[in-house]
Amino acid sequence: MPETFDRVRQVISFLAARRIPPLTLLVVPGREWSASQLEQLHKWSEAGHPLAAHGWIHESQPPRSLHHRLHSALLSRRVAEHLSLKGPGIVALMRRSQEWFVLQGLPQPSLYVPPAWALGPVARPLLQTLDLRWVESTRGFLHLQSGQYKVLPLVGYEADTAGRATFLRLWNRFQVEIARRSGRPLRISVHPHDLQLRLAGSLQRLLADKWDFIHDPTLA
């Protein structure tokens, strides 16, 4: 997002210094993008960083359903914007998000990542009307045309409270163990402020471990 752009630069530089290959950049289209920021998105894309559509504004309406209230309290706070919508509205948001890239002269994304990985209540026939290949969730990657899931473990480090840090330490330990035992790729999610938050040390130790980093987990 424009608001986190400087932090994203730091993360990209931090990973590049560790010879980690290009990462997928999640872009929130409906914010106030400057011309210089859009130019930098072009440069990152040309340098090999795939761009993925990531919601529209990354903010949800006040929760109405019990599921949304619980999700907001435990996981997403106010960013799971899909959970404010029903199926047609979700698909319309996803289509608008993807089309923004074309309007900016950027490559059209084949991957969509809903904010907080919360896709919301939408039927697969509706999803299949989108010109997308994959949708990512906490479970893995959903291939829209076949309906098949590529199930992959996931770690995250966005811990701004002690409670979140405790939960994520346990979650990450479990996910790393799944990856090691199964031989499946481990998805490493890095949010813009993670290098300044409570689990920054854990993230750096994980990245320093002996992994074979791959460019695109959907191809593994």
Side-chain angles (χ1 to χ4, degrees):
M1 294 188 291
E3 298 88 337
T4 59
F5 212 77
D6 289 340
R7 293 294 190 189
V8 172
R9 289 180 191 271
Q10 292 176 12
V11 169
I12 292 175
S13 297
F14 174 83
L15 297 176
R18 284 152 181 77
R19 298 185 178 181
I20 294 172
L23 56 150
T24 300
L25 300 175
L26 276 55
V27 180
V28 182
R31 312 294 286 200
E32 294 294 328
W33 291 91
S34 69
S36 62
Q37 290 170 339
L38 290 172
E39 182 181 359
Q40 183 61 67
L41 285 183
H42 279 272
K43 290 179 179 178
W44 280 332
S45 176
E46 291 165 0
H49 296 282
L51 304 180
H54 187 48
W56 181 249
I57 59 171
H58 210 263
E59 294 177 3
S60 71
Q61 297 297 317
R64 297 178 181 176
S65 68
L66 176 61
H67 170 69
H68 192 180
R69 287 197 295 271
L70 290 173
H71 198 282
S72 179
L74 298 175
L75 296 171
S76 61
R77 297 182 179 169
R78 292 289 297 275
V79 306
E81 60 184 318
H82 281 221
L83 298 185
S84 304
L85 304 169
K86 298 187 182 299
I90 291 170
V91 168
L93 184 150
M94 294 172 71
R95 181 173 288 110
R96 184 184 185 190
S97 180
Q98 187 188 32
E99 289 174 348
W100 176 88
F101 290 80
V102 178
L103 292 174
Q104 306 305 324
L106 292 163
Q108 179 171 295
S110 61
L111 171 66
Y112 182 90
V113 185
W117 292 286
L119 181 58
V122 55
R124 191 162 66 86
L126 272 176
L127 290 174
Q128 288 178 321
T129 65
L130 295 165
D131 189 15
L132 286 164
R133 188 177 182 194
W134 301 96
V135 172
E136 187 175 7
S137 70
T138 51
R139 183 183 176 193
F141 293 97
L142 170 65
H143 188 266
L144 290 191
Q145 294 309 310
S146 69
Q148 298 299 308
Y149 253 105
K150 181 181 284 290
V151 179
L152 296 176
L154 168 71
V155 293
Y157 296 87
E158 194 179 23
D160 56 352
T161 66
R164 282 192 167 207
T166 298
F167 170 78
L168 284 173
R169 284 192 187 96
L170 295 172
W171 170 272
N172 290 346
R173 192 176 304 140
F174 179 62
Q175 297 293 304
V176 170
E177 186 64 20
I178 290 175
R180 293 195 188 282
R181 288 180 177 272
S182 67
R184 284 179 284 165
L186 176 71
R187 291 175 290 155
I188 302 174
S189 169
V190 184
H191 286 79
H193 296 283
D194 284 359
L195 296 178
Q196 289 77 38
L197 294 178
R198 294 168 180 261
L199 295 184
S202 297
L203 172 59
Q204 293 184 47
R205 287 190 293 275
L206 179 84
L207 294 173
D209 209 345
K210 293 182 179 180
W211 299 99
D212 293 322
F213 289 99
I214 59 176
H215 184 67
D216 184 352
T218 64
L219 300 178

